[in-house]
Structures are given as structure tokens and as C-alpha cells.
Amino acid sequence: MQNNGTLYGTLYIVATPIGNLGDMVPRAIEILQKVDIIAAEDTRHSGNLLQHFCINTPTTAYHDHSDDARTQSLLERLASGQSIALISDAGTPLISDPGYRLVHEARSLGIRVEPIPGACAVITALCASGLPSDRFSFEGFLPAKNTNREQVLAAVKEDPRTLVFYESPHRILASLESVITILGGDRYIVLARELTKTFETFIAGSAQEVLDTLNTDANQKRGEMVLMIKGFETVKIREISQDVERILLLLCEELPLKKAAALAAKITGLKKNALYQLGLELTQPNH
């Protein structure tokens, strides 16, 4: 692509390891060695990676707080024919990392944007979770404030897709408590931590079981995490026997629906959420 007779450079989006340096792909090393400059989320953090692979390319900081002037400076370099590699602290850039503005503006100017694939925590965690992966929704980080976090979870409560969130060690307990409050303690989840590192761990079970595990083992609260939640399952009324319906209706005569469903779940061994939905169906005026 030319700009007034000058060839544009290329903006490379380069994935880097999320933990194990052995996951660095050869093409990524080649690109980082040959570009004119590397735009890194944190130049000090990336310095260790570059030193390990003997990459001496100059670096410049580019992150969420970079202003328009920094974006414009990089675009001017590309327009003058220089090539730039964009990297984040770990994994694939732009996946809950900075870079969107630069890529968007580069494309709008006709500058070539070339992805160099590699590690991505979302996919790494999901493929080993055992949860359905044919349809999933990546939701980034849950909000830090309790009210906002619960609003986000309420909005996806009945989403049938597997839900994937990033989470940090100092917020994981609060997030799991919010999952229990909004989605129910019996919702099946998988928590992946320290992916590709020495203490990589997958903890699976109900939200309440996973929370209990973290509360009893402080080591499980360390490291960056990926929280995966099984999608909402629609109640299949026909699969529930008339005896279960009778039990639930009798309990509803004496208790609020939420408590009746919880007690019916203990009696029958069925899911509390399923029985709650059934109760809504059975107690409708026209039922």
C-alpha cells in the first residue's frame, strides 16, 4: 500500500506466551526481530521476554492510558514505511488488552494489519475445561464493584452459552459469591489458574464447591485466573415426573417458591434452578 509514493509499513499483532516461554512461536520471534519498533503494554515486563529470545528491537509503551498523541505517533511511523509489532503483557493483544484504537485507525488508513497467532488464555482454558465450546461468550473482567458485578451476571443469567471471564486473585472470592447470589450455588463452573505454568490448576464443580475449595486452600487464590460458567439450561418440564410436581406444589402451599424449590431439590435430588422454573410454570394462573 502506498501513501503519496511512500510504502506503508505493516502493523503486526503478535501473541506472546501466557506463562511458559516454550509456547513462543518461531514466527513471532522472527517478526519481533525484524520490525522497526515494538509497542508494548509494559516495556519493563516485556523486556524479560525480549531478552530471553535475544530480541534487541527498540520498544515503546502503548497501553489503555496512552493518549491520542501516542496513537498518532505510531500511525505516522507506519505511514512513513516503518513496521510495528504490538504486544501485550501476555497472550494475544486486544483480548482484554489495549490496542483496539491503533488497529482501528490503521485499518481506516489502509495500513496492513497482520496477526501473528499464538497463546490466548480464553482458548487455552476453555479447551481443557470440559465445558461446551461450540458456543461461548467471552465477557472480559467482571466489574470490581459488587452492584455492577451482579448487574453483569444478571444480564447473562439465562445465556445458554458457556460464559468466560478473566479474574484476578484479589477479587475471585467476591466474584464467586456474586455468581452464587445471581446464578445459584449449584451452577457448574470451572476455574483455571496459572495456565501453562508450574502450578497450573483446574478446579471444577458447583459454584459453592469451588468457593469452598478456595476458602480452605489459600494457594488456590494465587495467580491469574479464567472463570468459566456453564450456560443456562432450559427446564424440560416433560422430564420431571408427576410425583415431583405434586411435591413441589404441596411445598408451594406452605412456603415461598424459592424456599419450596430448594427443599424440593433436597428431597428429589433435582436441580434447584430447574425446580424453581417448574414452580413458575405450575403456579401460573392459567396452568
Side-chain angles (χ1 to χ4, degrees), residues 57-283:
T57 306
T59 60
T60 186
Y62 190 78
H63 45 72
D64 272 339
H65 302 293
S66 295
D67 56 20
D68 291 340
R70 178 56 59 90
T71 300
Q72 189 59 37
S73 173
L74 294 177
L75 291 171
E76 289 174 358
R77 284 175 175 266
L78 290 164
S80 70
Q82 293 187 20
S83 289
I84 298 175
L86 178 68
I87 63 174
S88 62
D89 284 349
T92 302
L94 279 73
I95 309 300
S96 275
D97 279 317
Y100 160 77
R101 286 177 298 158
L102 179 60
V103 173
H104 176 76
E105 293 297 330
R107 284 205 170 278
S108 69
L109 294 172
I111 295 170
R112 178 179 174 81
V113 180
E114 187 172 328
I116 311 299
C120 177
V122 175
I123 304 303
T124 302
L126 186 61
C127 71
S129 68
L131 289 168
S133 56
D134 53 336
R135 296 182 67 220
F136 66 93
S137 177
F138 174 59
E139 301 289 333
F141 283 90
L142 282 165
K145 292 185 177 180
N146 188 60
T147 300
N148 295 340
R149 184 168 57 245
E150 293 189 354
Q151 287 176 345
V152 168
L153 289 169
V156 297
K157 181 177 181 178
E158 297 187 2
D159 192 324
R161 299 171 295 178
T162 297
L163 304 172
V164 185
F165 299 90
Y166 283 163
E167 196 47 275
S168 56
H170 64 280
R171 293 210 307 251
I172 186 59
L173 294 182
S175 289
L176 288 176
E177 288 169 356
S178 292
V179 169
I180 292 169
T181 298
I182 303 301
L183 306 184
D186 59 347
R187 181 72 74 97
Y188 186 81
I189 70 172
V190 180
L191 182 66
R193 51 176 293 274
E194 293 287 81
L195 288 170
T196 77
K197 299 176 184 176
T198 303
F199 298 105
E200 176 182 278
T201 308
F202 284 78
I203 306 171
S206 70
Q208 186 63 59
E209 289 171 340
V210 174
L211 177 60
D212 291 344
T213 297
L214 266 61
N215 277 325
T216 56
D217 186 352
N219 288 325
Q220 301 305 326
K221 290 182 283 189
R222 298 177 179 175
E224 296 304 311
M225 302 175 179
V226 181
L227 173 62
M228 295 161 286
I229 303 174
K230 188 173 183 180
F232 179 76
E233 294 180 311
T234 304
V235 179
K236 297 179 180 179
I237 302 296
R238 293 177 184 175
E239 294 181 0
I240 299 179
S241 70
Q242 290 185 345
D243 286 342
V244 172
E245 290 186 9
R246 183 174 58 81
I247 291 170
L248 184 56
L249 283 172
L250 287 171
L251 290 171
C252 285
E253 291 177 2
E254 304 294 333
L255 299 168
L257 176 55
K258 187 174 182 180
K259 291 184 177 180
L263 184 54
K266 292 181 178 180
I267 295 171
T268 64
L270 297 174
K271 294 288 187 180
K272 179 176 63 178
N273 287 349
L275 290 167
Y276 181 82
Q277 294 297 320
L278 175 61
L280 291 176
E281 294 281 343
L282 294 176
T283 54

